[in-house]
Amino acid sequence: LMAMVSEGPADGSAGELRLLRDGKLAATLPVAARPKYVTQEAGSIYVVGAIDVTRVDPAGLQVTATIPLAKGADAIVGGGDRPFELVVTPNGRRAFIHYPVQDKVVVLDLEQKKAIGTAKTGRGGKKFLGGMMSALTYGMSDRTYFYHPGSDPPQLLVRPDGRFAQVLGHIAAE
């Protein structure tokens, strides 16, 4: 199975995920508006957009969840935030999204299908320098899409019990 994501119309409506099987189009699914990152984790495909995350079942060729990147009425990510990595806990209950340029991690409750908080990473001058380096490393274009191939070293690790995630030496609690 191969997945391709496109942004969709300029009006900010849903993006599209095209799933190819044996070189043929198997499904076209609506996904998060302004998609910025796509990955396959724990048997699902996740598309992180500007305001929500779409979870897709690649075997069933269907969207299984849309998770707003907001806590209540308050957005927890901005339209310019750049996700780099998404990791699902071993028990499948939580996911952590790493935004290195913004020095933060967003925590998702996959069972309740909602964002439950954020944690800042970095500190002081190191945070400033790390943020500058992240911006240079990961690019500034709003149309940049990130795919984290398995050959790249992960920046976000989740403890086996799923209660904590560690980002480049900083810890974010569930």
Side-chain angles (χ1 to χ4, degrees):
L1 186 71
M2 177 188 247
M4 299 181 329
V5 67
S6 65
E7 189 166 302
D11 65 0
S13 57
E16 287 185 344
L17 179 69
R18 293 182 185 101
L19 298 173
L20 305 172
R21 195 173 272 152
D22 299 322
K24 295 181 181 161
L25 183 64
T28 300
L29 303 171
V31 293
R34 295 179 54 212
K36 295 173 178 269
Y37 176 79
V38 61
T39 190
Q40 188 163 356
E41 272 282 321
S44 293
I45 295 172
Y46 290 87
V47 179
V48 181
I51 60 171
D52 55 13
V53 176
T54 304
R55 183 173 61 194
V56 173
D57 171 12
L61 302 174
Q62 63 184 350
V63 172
T64 58
T66 299
I67 304 167
L69 291 172
K71 192 169 180 182
D74 299 323
I76 57 176
V77 297
D81 288 2
R82 312 251 186 298
F84 175 72
E85 192 171 9
L86 180 145
V87 176
V88 175
T89 59
N91 64 11
R93 293 181 57 217
R94 303 270 193 265
F96 295 88
I97 305 171
H98 181 211
Y99 292 84
V101 174
Q102 289 73 31
D103 294 315
K104 71 179 167 186
V105 172
V106 172
V107 184
L108 304 177
D109 182 327
L110 297 177
E111 292 175 333
Q112 298 294 316
K113 298 177 183 161
K114 65 181 183 177
I116 57 174
T118 62
K120 291 298 271 177
T121 62
R123 63 182 185 272
K126 291 180 184 177
K127 178 179 164 187
F128 173 74
L129 182 58
M132 266 183 33
M133 292 309 293
S134 293
L136 292 172
T137 303
Y138 306 121
M140 294 304 290
S141 169
D142 193 39
R143 294 183 179 266
T144 301
Y145 302 101
F146 299 112
Y147 175 71
H148 177 66
S151 60
D152 284 351
Q155 295 183 8
L156 175 64
L157 300 171
V158 177
R159 202 165 77 174
D161 65 8
R163 292 193 60 224
F164 292 92
Q166 185 166 355
V167 180
L168 297 175
H170 304 288
I171 296 177
E174 175 187 323

